[in-house]
Amino acid sequence: MSDSTASKDAVVIERIFEAPVALIWQMWTQADHFQKWYGPKGASVPVAEIDLHVGGKRLVCMEMQRPDGAMQMWTAGEHTVVLPHKRLVFTEGMSDEKGNLLPPSAMGMPGDKPMVTEVTVELEDLGGR
């Protein structure tokens, strides 16, 4: 993300993987791959629906086991940019299991949090990594 497009509230995470760009693209765009890696340690992703085209919907459920039972967090969004093996941009917000957006307060978050955020994944081939 260039400095000219980054929000003052942007979080930028940069990683180099010992894997080709095509594989990293699959990890972000194919549900079966996405379910295997997404989320913090101890979380699972029982649902990942990824309709990969501009305007295509995303619906993801992340689940954590707690002493009092499983807790699920649903997010939904829409793809706004799909440039295979280069750039993926999508919106994301808290939702119910049907993809209806919910205010952050419904998940116990402060009311000043945005209802929808934008996620940008940029990939660059560094000689096969």
Side-chain angles (χ1 to χ4, degrees), residues 42-44 63-71:
S44 65
E63 186 172 88
M64 296 283 295
Q65 295 299 321
R66 300 186 320 189
D68 60 344
M71 180 192 87

PDB file of all heavy atoms in Angstrom, residues 42-44 63-71:
ATOM      1  N   GLY A  42      -5.357 -21.419  17.923  1.00  0.00           N
ATOM      2  CA  GLY A  42      -6.472 -21.940  18.697  1.00  0.00           C
ATOM      3  C   GLY A  42      -7.821 -21.727  18.046  1.00  0.00           C
ATOM      4  O   GLY A  42      -8.822 -22.277  18.485  1.00  0.00           O
ATOM      5  N   ALA A  43      -7.864 -20.927  16.977  1.00  0.00           N
ATOM      6  CA  ALA A  43      -9.121 -20.671  16.274  1.00  0.00           C
ATOM      7  C   ALA A  43      -9.243 -21.614  15.086  1.00  0.00           C
ATOM      8  O   ALA A  43      -8.248 -22.074  14.535  1.00  0.00           O
ATOM      9  CB  ALA A  43      -9.179 -19.229  15.789  1.00  0.00           C
ATOM     10  N   SER A  44     -10.465 -21.888  14.709  1.00  0.00           N
ATOM     11  CA  SER A  44     -10.726 -22.636  13.483  1.00  0.00           C
ATOM     12  C   SER A  44     -11.654 -21.789  12.615  1.00  0.00           C
ATOM     13  O   SER A  44     -12.261 -20.823  13.083  1.00  0.00           O
ATOM     14  CB  SER A  44     -11.362 -23.993  13.792  1.00  0.00           C
ATOM     15  OG  SER A  44     -12.642 -23.810  14.373  1.00  0.00           O
ATOM     16  N   GLU A  63     -14.079 -19.583  14.800  1.00  0.00           N
ATOM     17  CA  GLU A  63     -14.612 -20.189  16.021  1.00  0.00           C
ATOM     18  C   GLU A  63     -13.487 -20.439  17.010  1.00  0.00           C
ATOM     19  O   GLU A  63     -12.414 -20.915  16.635  1.00  0.00           O
ATOM     20  CB  GLU A  63     -15.311 -21.495  15.665  1.00  0.00           C
ATOM     21  CG  GLU A  63     -16.031 -22.144  16.808  1.00  0.00           C
ATOM     22  CD  GLU A  63     -16.852 -23.332  16.342  1.00  0.00           C
ATOM     23  OE1 GLU A  63     -16.294 -24.446  16.298  1.00  0.00           O
ATOM     24  OE2 GLU A  63     -18.031 -23.134  16.001  1.00  0.00           O
ATOM     25  N   MET A  64     -13.751 -20.101  18.272  1.00  0.00           N
ATOM     26  CA  MET A  64     -12.805 -20.345  19.361  1.00  0.00           C
ATOM     27  C   MET A  64     -13.522 -21.167  20.428  1.00  0.00           C
ATOM     28  O   MET A  64     -14.686 -20.879  20.751  1.00  0.00           O
ATOM     29  CB  MET A  64     -12.342 -19.031  19.997  1.00  0.00           C
ATOM     30  CG  MET A  64     -11.563 -18.108  19.088  1.00  0.00           C
ATOM     31  SD  MET A  64      -9.868 -18.593  18.822  1.00  0.00           S
ATOM     32  CE  MET A  64      -9.172 -18.425  20.444  1.00  0.00           C
ATOM     33  N   GLN A  65     -12.814 -22.136  20.970  1.00  0.00           N
ATOM     34  CA  GLN A  65     -13.372 -22.927  22.072  1.00  0.00           C
ATOM     35  C   GLN A  65     -13.082 -22.213  23.382  1.00  0.00           C
ATOM     36  O   GLN A  65     -11.959 -21.772  23.617  1.00  0.00           O
ATOM     37  CB  GLN A  65     -12.780 -24.333  22.082  1.00  0.00           C
ATOM     38  CG  GLN A  65     -13.143 -25.152  20.875  1.00  0.00           C
ATOM     39  CD  GLN A  65     -14.644 -25.362  20.731  1.00  0.00           C
ATOM     40  OE1 GLN A  65     -15.369 -25.564  21.707  1.00  0.00           O
ATOM     41  NE2 GLN A  65     -15.123 -25.298  19.500  1.00  0.00           N
ATOM     42  N   ARG A  66     -14.115 -22.064  24.197  1.00  0.00           N
ATOM     43  CA  ARG A  66     -13.972 -21.454  25.521  1.00  0.00           C
ATOM     44  C   ARG A  66     -14.478 -22.448  26.551  1.00  0.00           C
ATOM     45  O   ARG A  66     -15.165 -23.408  26.198  1.00  0.00           O
ATOM     46  CB  ARG A  66     -14.800 -20.166  25.598  1.00  0.00           C
ATOM     47  CG  ARG A  66     -14.387 -19.132  24.594  1.00  0.00           C
ATOM     48  CD  ARG A  66     -15.098 -17.820  24.765  1.00  0.00           C
ATOM     49  NE  ARG A  66     -16.508 -17.942  25.096  1.00  0.00           N
ATOM     50  CZ  ARG A  66     -17.352 -16.921  25.130  1.00  0.00           C
ATOM     51  NH1 ARG A  66     -16.936 -15.711  24.859  1.00  0.00           N
ATOM     52  NH2 ARG A  66     -18.610 -17.091  25.447  1.00  0.00           N
ATOM     53  N   PRO A  67     -14.175 -22.236  27.820  1.00  0.00           N
ATOM     54  CA  PRO A  67     -14.648 -23.174  28.847  1.00  0.00           C
ATOM     55  C   PRO A  67     -16.176 -23.333  28.842  1.00  0.00           C
ATOM     56  O   PRO A  67     -16.686 -24.409  29.140  1.00  0.00           O
ATOM     57  CB  PRO A  67     -14.168 -22.537  30.159  1.00  0.00           C
ATOM     58  CG  PRO A  67     -12.978 -21.734  29.762  1.00  0.00           C
ATOM     59  CD  PRO A  67     -13.274 -21.225  28.377  1.00  0.00           C
ATOM     60  N   ASP A  68     -16.890 -22.265  28.458  1.00  0.00           N
ATOM     61  CA  ASP A  68     -18.353 -22.344  28.456  1.00  0.00           C
ATOM     62  C   ASP A  68     -18.922 -22.698  27.079  1.00  0.00           C
ATOM     63  O   ASP A  68     -20.112 -22.569  26.832  1.00  0.00           O
ATOM     64  CB  ASP A  68     -18.957 -21.020  28.949  1.00  0.00           C
ATOM     65  CG  ASP A  68     -18.562 -19.829  28.089  1.00  0.00           C
ATOM     66  OD1 ASP A  68     -17.605 -19.942  27.313  1.00  0.00           O
ATOM     67  OD2 ASP A  68     -19.224 -18.786  28.210  1.00  0.00           O
ATOM     68  N   GLY A  69     -18.077 -23.163  26.158  1.00  0.00           N
ATOM     69  CA  GLY A  69     -18.546 -23.568  24.832  1.00  0.00           C
ATOM     70  C   GLY A  69     -17.891 -22.760  23.727  1.00  0.00           C
ATOM     71  O   GLY A  69     -17.069 -21.880  23.976  1.00  0.00           O
ATOM     72  N   ALA A  70     -18.271 -23.065  22.519  1.00  0.00           N
ATOM     73  CA  ALA A  70     -17.676 -22.409  21.355  1.00  0.00           C
ATOM     74  C   ALA A  70     -18.221 -20.993  21.181  1.00  0.00           C
ATOM     75  O   ALA A  70     -19.403 -20.733  21.408  1.00  0.00           O
ATOM     76  CB  ALA A  70     -17.962 -23.218  20.097  1.00  0.00           C
ATOM     77  N   MET A  71     -17.323 -20.091  20.790  1.00  0.00           N
ATOM     78  CA  MET A  71     -17.725 -18.732  20.452  1.00  0.00           C
ATOM     79  C   MET A  71     -17.447 -18.539  18.965  1.00  0.00           C
ATOM     80  O   MET A  71     -16.353 -18.859  18.491  1.00  0.00           O
ATOM     81  CB  MET A  71     -16.917 -17.706  21.238  1.00  0.00           C
ATOM     82  CG  MET A  71     -17.312 -16.270  20.898  1.00  0.00           C
ATOM     83  SD  MET A  71     -16.151 -15.038  21.543  1.00  0.00           S
ATOM     84  CE  MET A  71     -14.975 -14.993  20.201  1.00  0.00           C
TER      85      MET A  71
END
